Amino acid sequence: EIGNLKNLLCLDVSENRLERLPEEISGLTSLTDLVISQNLLETIPDGIGKLKKLSILKVDQNRLTQLPEAVGDCESLTELVLTENQLL
């Protein structure tokens, strides 16, 4: 039901051993900051591209091997942190 939080501006779920983010994250249309650092994420859902107001995305210290193309649809993104992943 996290997708129902339409007015949420900042979501920080770092250091939680998360293995995945729900696709419903695409419903957080007011989100400007998403911090999902220090988890066990291997992928980011394509719904991330629907977060048009997202300006900060921190996904450092996870297990990402690639980024979804949908990240390119985050037209307000000004800060993207991807350090300490498994990106090629």
Side-chain angles (χ1 to χ4, degrees), residues 8-75:
L8 190 67
L9 297 176
C10 181
L11 177 62
D12 185 341
V13 291
S14 54
E15 299 182 51
N16 276 293
R17 297 185 177 269
L18 295 178
E19 294 182 9
R20 68 174 197 84
L21 284 180
E23 186 66 41
E24 293 80 16
I25 199 148
S26 64
L28 304 177
T29 53
S30 296
L31 204 64
T32 60
D33 296 38
L34 178 57
V35 182
I36 45 181
S37 306
Q38 298 180 22
N39 280 292
L40 305 171
L41 300 173
E42 295 180 6
T43 61
I44 297 173
D46 286 333
I48 195 87
K50 294 182 179 173
L51 304 180
K52 303 296 184 188
K53 296 181 181 179
L54 192 66
S55 62
I56 296 173
L57 176 58
K58 294 184 180 182
V59 200
D60 53 305
Q61 298 182 45
N62 276 282
R63 297 177 178 175
L64 297 180
T65 55
Q66 63 182 12
L67 281 180
E69 287 186 28
V71 169
D73 294 330
C74 297
E75 54 198 36

